[in-house]
């Protein structure tokens, strides 16, 4: 009986795929489809803002027939970011991309500004705007050097990226509007023009809360998804079953190739991943934590292709490990190495779910150069049911 039900669900899914239908036009978070990776429980918002003090602000730029981009800003805490610095670290999964502020971040193991995400050719304007925002704060009147941290992905398929429109003003608005509540996902902010696995990508987020026996720490992840590969969800080969995946033209029968360029892509693109935690961790273990996020990225079907810039930034908001640049001696109470394993598990789970949310919460975006539709949620729902997932 179970096998018959699974075959029926698969048949219905492929019928819907062939008809190109999407009954449920509303974006859907992963958990509504039964996609709940791992064993740990999410926080209240299932977002990076579940880490106390962290705020997110976003501005979407959609102008005329060709500008489809935006800004997403992550603010580590609401205090004096320059003098009450959070320890931070970077892990590079594949370095095909640009990231402002990386050398000082790695040298000092800390950040002194918010983190801004935007489009590839916008990072220099965004960096200048972020520096201006920091220098304009009254407490920074005497500051003569600032290290803005800005990441990017290339949204050139939908966006006239060479135009670089109004990014500076968008950065200022994103920072001014940053809040600690629910985070908008999908085709918003820095995810407005991004593409994932040939479907519309975007911003996604998720969180995990460790049990009290494991410290009760919180960890949140925010992603800017703009990459490819062979999409899978909780092990289900969704990309192959929907007929859209990397290297398809090279391996699929001629009558099973998707139209246009979707089947020709080789998984290129980029993914920015930002991790926040309230666990007291310094840069060495933050880098180890960031490295585990790539495992969550791989679970979605990415193999970090040659043309994929995959960067992970991680920071701790714990007051015990904050860094004062004027201090003669910094004393810290850091979590021991043996206590990191649960956090490694949590960040892998949260990264995977955040990437699912980026896909499932996306909405269609059109421009003069292209139109990219979101993942067909109803087809995915049927394919997941056929594998016993909800």
């Amino acid at each position: 009986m179970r096998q018959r039900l699974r075959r029926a669900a698969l048949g219905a899914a492929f019928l819907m795929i062939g008809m190109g239908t999407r009954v449920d036009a509303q974006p859907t978070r992963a958990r509504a489809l039964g996609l709940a990776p791992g064993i740990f429980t999410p926080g209240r918002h299932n977002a990076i803002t579940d880490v106390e003090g962290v705020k997110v602000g976003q501005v979407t730029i959609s102008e005329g027939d060709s500008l489809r981009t935006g800004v997403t800003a992550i603010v580590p805490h609401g205090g004096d970011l320059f003098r009450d610095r959070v320890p931070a670290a970077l892990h590079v999964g594949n370095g095909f991309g640009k990231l402002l502020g990386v050398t000082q971040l790695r040298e000092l193991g800390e950040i002194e500004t918010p983190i801004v995400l935007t489009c590839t050719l916008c990072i220099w304007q965004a960096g200048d705007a972020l520096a201006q925002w920091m220098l304009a704060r009254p407490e920074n009147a005497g500051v003569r050097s600032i290290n803005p941290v800005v990441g990017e992905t290339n949204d050139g398929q939908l966006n006239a990226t060479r135009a670089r429109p109004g990014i500076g003003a968008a950065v200022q608005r994103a920072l001014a509007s940053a809040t600690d509540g629910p985070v908008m996902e999908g085709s918003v902010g820095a995810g407005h023009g991004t593409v994932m696995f040939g479907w519309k990508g975007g911003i996604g987020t998720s969180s995990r809360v460790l049990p009290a026996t494991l410290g009760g720490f919180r960890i949140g992840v925010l992603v800017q998804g703009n990459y490819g590969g062979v999409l899978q969800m909780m092990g289900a080969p969704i990309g192959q079953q929907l007929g859209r995946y990397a290297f398809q033209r090279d391996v699929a029968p001629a009558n099973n190739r998707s139209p246009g360029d979707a089947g020709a892509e080789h998984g290129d693109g980029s993914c920015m991943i930002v991790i926040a935690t309230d666990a007291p961790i310094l840069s060495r273990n933050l880098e180890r934590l960031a490295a585990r996020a790539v495992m969550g990225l791989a679970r979605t079907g990415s193999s970090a292709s040659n043309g994929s810039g995959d960067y992970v930034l991680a920071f701790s908001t714990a007051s015990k490990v904050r860094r004062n640049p004027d201090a003669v001696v910094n004393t810290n109470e850091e979590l021991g190495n043996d206590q990191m394993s649960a956090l490694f598990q949590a960040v892998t789970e949260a990264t995977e779910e955040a990437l699912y949310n980026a896909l499932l919460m996306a909405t269609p975006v059109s421009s003069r150069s292209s139109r990219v539709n979101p993942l067909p949620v109803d087809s995915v729902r049927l394919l997941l049911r056929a594998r016993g997932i909800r």
Side-chain angles (χ1 to χ4, degrees):
M1 174 64 73
R2 181 174 295 179
Q3 290 299 323
R4 286 203 300 271
L5 289 173
R6 290 187 177 183
R7 285 196 294 270
L10 281 170
F14 286 120
L15 178 60
M16 292 178 66
I17 295 162
M19 295 172 63
T21 60
R22 180 175 177 175
V23 176
D24 180 8
Q26 296 299 315
T28 303
R29 294 198 88 187
R31 288 188 173 248
L33 297 181
L35 294 168
I39 57 173
F40 293 132
T41 304
R44 176 186 177 189
H45 302 300
N46 195 10
I48 193 171
T49 50
D50 288 324
V51 179
E52 186 176 358
V54 176
K55 298 180 179 180
V56 174
Q58 303 192 81
V59 172
T60 301
I61 298 174
S62 182
E63 299 178 6
D65 63 1
S66 58
L67 300 181
R68 305 289 185 269
T69 191
V71 168
T72 298
I74 302 99
V75 183
H77 63 78
D80 185 343
L81 293 170
F82 186 80
R83 291 175 181 80
D84 199 13
R85 301 177 183 180
V86 294
L90 166 71
H91 176 77
V92 180
N94 191 64
F96 194 96
K98 287 154 281 294
L99 181 61
L100 289 188
V102 61
T103 55
Q104 182 171 311
L105 185 156
R106 280 188 152 168
E107 183 69 21
L108 301 184
E110 61 194 27
I111 56 175
E112 59 195 38
T113 73
I115 297 168
V116 167
L117 306 178
T118 188
C119 72
T120 293
L121 292 182
C122 298
I123 62 167
W124 302 282
Q125 289 176 313
D128 181 66
L130 178 52
Q132 291 297 330
W133 183 82
M134 287 290 298
L135 294 172
R137 297 173 71 85
E139 66 269 24
N140 293 334
V143 172
R144 294 184 293 175
S145 174
I146 204 78
N147 186 53
V149 177
V150 184
E152 55 80 25
T153 69
N154 193 327
D155 55 16
Q157 180 174 336
L158 284 164
N159 179 45
T161 187
R162 290 168 61 97
R164 300 189 291 177
I167 292 297
V171 170
Q172 298 276 343
R173 295 201 307 274
L175 290 165
S177 64
T179 64
D180 58 2
V183 176
M184 291 185 66
E185 297 173 296
S187 309
V188 297
H192 185 49
T194 62
V195 180
M196 295 172 67
F197 301 100
W199 290 283
K200 186 66 191 69
I203 297 296
T205 189
S206 184
S207 68
R208 294 293 186 274
V209 181
L210 296 186
T213 53
L214 294 172
F217 301 117
R218 294 172 179 264
I219 192 161
V221 175
L222 183 142
V223 300
Q224 179 192 20
N226 188 54
Y227 64 99
V230 183
L231 175 62
Q232 59 182 22
M233 291 179 150
M234 298 285 285
I238 301 298
Q240 291 168 272
Q241 291 178 324
L242 294 180
R244 184 176 297 181
Y245 53 94
F247 308 107
Q248 184 178 354
R249 290 184 182 274
D250 302 291
V251 300
N255 62 358
N256 193 36
R257 294 175 182 169
S258 58
D261 294 330
E265 61 98 12
H266 287 178
D268 289 345
S270 293
C271 187
M272 286 296 309
I273 301 172
V274 179
I275 302 166
T277 183
D278 59 6
I281 308 172
L282 292 174
S283 58
R284 179 182 57 83
N285 269 331
L286 282 168
E287 185 171 358
R288 298 178 70 211
L289 184 69
R292 270 61 178 187
V294 175
M295 297 181 181
L297 177 65
R299 288 183 180 181
T300 69
S302 169
S303 56
S305 73
N306 177 70
S308 186
D310 303 309
Y311 297 89
V312 189
L313 291 164
F315 63 87
S316 170
T317 64
S319 58
K320 295 178 180 180
V321 291
R322 299 271 181 90
R323 314 293 288 277
N324 187 325
D326 300 322
V328 176
V329 176
N330 277 309
T331 58
N332 305 112
E333 296 180 28
E334 184 183 12
L335 203 64
N337 289 340
D338 286 346
Q339 307 306 309
M340 291 297 300
S341 293
L343 291 168
F344 293 162
Q345 175 69 29
V347 78
T348 303
E349 295 178 10
T351 301
E352 182 182 1
E353 186 169 350
L355 291 165
Y356 293 156
N357 284 333
L359 263 172
L360 293 166
M361 290 296 289
T363 51
V365 174
S366 299
S367 67
R368 180 173 60 187
S369 60
S370 183
R371 174 182 173 86
V372 181
N373 291 315
L375 190 67
V377 172
D378 289 297
S379 297
V380 171
R381 181 182 285 110
L382 288 171
L383 292 171
L384 292 174
R385 285 177 180 171
R387 293 178 66 89
I389 302 173
R390 277 290 263 268

